[in-house]
Amino acid sequence: MSPESWKDQLSLVSADDYRIMGRNRIPNAVTKLSGLETDDGDGGNDPNGGAWVTKPKRIVVSNQLPLRAHRDISSNKWCFEFDNDSLYLQLKDGFPPETEVVYVGSLNADVLPSEQEDVSQFLLEKFQCVPTFLPSDLLSKYYHGFCKHYLWPIFHYLLPMTQAQGSLFDRSNWRAYTTVNKIFADKIFEVLNPDDDYVWIHDYHLMILPTFLRNRFHRIKLGIFLHSPFPSSEIYRTLPVRDEILKGFLNCDLVGFHTFDYARHFLSCCSRMLGLDYESKRGYIGLEYFGRTVSIKILPVGIHMGQIESIKASEETAEKVKGLRERFKGNIVMLGVDDLDMFKGISLKFWAMGQLLEQNEELRGKVVLVQITNPARSSGKDVQDVEKQINLIADEINSKFGRPGGYKPIVFVNGPVSTLDKVAYYAISECVVVNAVRDGMNLVPYKYTVTRQGSPALDAALGFGEDDVRKSVIIVSEFIGCSPSLSGAIRVNPWNIDAVTDAMSSAMTMSDKEKNLRHQKHHKYISSHNVAYWARSYDQDLQRACKDHFNKRFWGVGFGLFFKVVALDPNFRRLCAETIVPAYRRTSSRLILLDYDGTMMDQDTLDKRPSDDLISLLNRLCDDPNNLVFIVSGRGKDPLSKWFDSCPNLGISAEHGYFTRWNSKSPWETSELPADLSWKKIAKPVMNHYMEATDGSFIEEKESAMVWHHQEADHSFGSWQAKELLDHLESVLTNEPVVVKRGQHIVEVKPQGVSKGKVVEYLIATMRNTKGKRPDFLLCIGDDRSDEDMFDSIVKHQDVSSIGLAEVFACTVGQKPSKAKYYLDDTPSVIKMLEWLASASDGSKHEQQQKQSKFTFQQPMGQCRNESIDL
């Protein structure tokens, strides 16, 4: 995919492209706090001495607004009302009192372009809704083409092998998806106060929207919740736009899923495709992504208890129940409520029903399966095929087991069916069967359980007495999101018809006492984990995830849908020539410590030997009598001494400081630690076992240490094995004088007390003892975890004033969280920096060379004084 072909959709946008429209902008609510003052003059203060404090809004973004719309025939005007069944409306109950909530989404109505401005203004003023009007052709490609016919099947584990089995990837539909997400971003900017407001995006229709939002406002407080399943990495990796979507998620502060399985699959994809590892801290799962922590939230959504309780108390519902009770008098009713969808397993449910009647003659004429089918959310051949198939199976079973008196074992109730009518069916049903082969959540069992708890009106309609126990039975597929939370349900594999049949039979014969126990267990959970609980928990976690936004500096990196933000400590900045060279020139006792792999030699280079240019550069630095230059590496002393034999004045500290040599003529000094290496006899067999079990791994044996490498192994399996090996080695070596550490694609065992931090302390102490003074210039550059020990040691020296250093430059390679104060972008930037220092050492005869190379050096290093930093 060339960047030019995606110019309109993927290029970085300017502030002019996202100009906020003042006439539609919603001001944040303000509260007056008496006795407080603001810092910006009297602009934020009340004349009577109070201060006005803004309250952050919650901006809820979904594909469709929680509104119902219709045009009045008589007046030809649009009429709107809130959709009380919409989850996005119900979640408002979980926000703090008096929180202002703004909704952004599409209208399920075809509003003429000439009417759109007036409708937008009306919805904003009356409903706090911001509609995104999409042209019909764009909507068709975005929703029907990409979302429902391509993404939806893949996220439900159905790969489009041929055009007949599903829609193949279509770039025009992907462009439509990108364009619609950008339109949503534009609408959000109209109502967003980026410093205060929280944005909560919902579901798979808007997975790249976070990238557009983060691009415009780096510190935006942003969360997303995926209501569909997230497929395993083997399925997800088939998406041609997999990286763009993953990075959309990672531009959020909080990513929510219904179940751990969905979250686990997402984390696995981040690991396998982006090389990101996650960790759990005090119950919170987080992904470190360029200095930002992307938090993971796992909590299934609940139902709106008030809505169901209100319907249960209605006399209209009671009358409906009486009618249904009379209609199915003498029958045991099982209920199914499903969308007309290929993943809902309706045909499998019908086959199980037919087998139940085939095997249990006594149930014929007694058991009825009422199937409510909600209208399909999209159209196409797949929906037509599902409808045709379930009708054929139902007709076959009804013709075989039906009776002349009107008994039909399968009764269709074609939608749309109101929530009130569904509650009435829940009330008369002995069992509910949710048999989907894959579903994100499915709240039918929750609503069924709450209805079966009863109410005075329902009890009267059903003829229940005070002594009658509440009972319900749920048959639920193990492949849907609500299954883990329903511990009292009968879980089934929907593909196993025999198992579903047995579950139906068990539901028919189960004792009332057991039904009551299962019911009470479910009702206790569902009533306490309602939609308000879910929204409140998510909102609190989103606030927690965003609390450090203003404690860091944010840098925008990348273009289009590959844009990301790098979060850095306020004191963490690029090491520039204007900063280090003057300090270098005015000092006379310099210590320069350089890591090798990943710092002066790129990690991806196969030939690790230093180039002639690098040897020459190091010799120029070493030839300065004011410099003491050391290579501080984890590599063994033999390859390092061989590679740098032509640098006579270069010091080498090998194996993390276990061996040290001051120059090519001096002997190797060994650490003063006891030279007991008998632990290798214990560690080597363990490492060999993991090497044999992990294809692509190998063992590096040094004189003082042993290292297990897994960079060539499968990323996920290698990381998994590294964790296991770490635990294994720690347990068998617990009484040995060694430490076991995990590094970048390695697990290393080395003697206690050996680290690069100790090297720093040793060299500084030696310089003080031999020269009578400590170094007045210290440059330390490294790229991985072992180098953090050096940075930590330097920080400790700076904190102790008696041995403090005048000019200190601790520098990591790459923009990432580090104890270092400075960073350089990559290995070429490190080499350029060293060239600049070498030129300064060469003296006045190189002044002209210095001026000529200044532009060449400054360009990759970045412009220190003119860098644009989002504060």
Side-chain angles (χ1 to χ4, degrees), residues 439-463:
D439 205 353
M441 183 58 192
N442 201 311
L443 295 174
V444 168
Y446 286 18
K447 296 175 182 178
Y448 165 73
T449 300
V450 174
T451 301
R452 293 287 288 182
Q453 184 66 13
S455 69
L458 283 185
D459 291 349
L462 292 167

Side-chain angles (χ1 to χ4, degrees), residues 499-517:
V500 180
T501 301
D502 291 343
M504 289 179 172
S505 177
S506 178
M508 298 300 100
T509 58
M510 188 181 296
S511 68
D512 287 351
K513 182 179 180 180
E514 185 174 353
K515 290 179 181 179
N516 173 255
L517 290 173

Side-chain angles (χ1 to χ4, degrees), residues 510-553:
M510 188 181 296
S511 68
D512 287 351
K513 182 179 180 180
E514 185 174 353
K515 290 179 181 179
N516 173 255
L517 290 173
R518 292 173 182 261
H519 170 81
Q520 294 300 338
K521 189 174 188 178
H522 290 155
H523 188 265
K524 181 179 180 181
Y525 173 84
I526 294 167
S527 59
S528 61
H529 291 71
N530 57 17
V531 68
Y533 173 87
W534 171 76
R536 185 183 310 111
S537 180
Y538 187 92
D539 186 62
Q540 290 171 350
D541 277 8
L542 180 57
Q543 293 180 56
R544 178 188 56 80
C546 300
K547 67 180 181 180
D548 291 332
H549 275 15
F550 289 91
N551 295 331
K552 296 182 178 181
R553 293 188 304 161

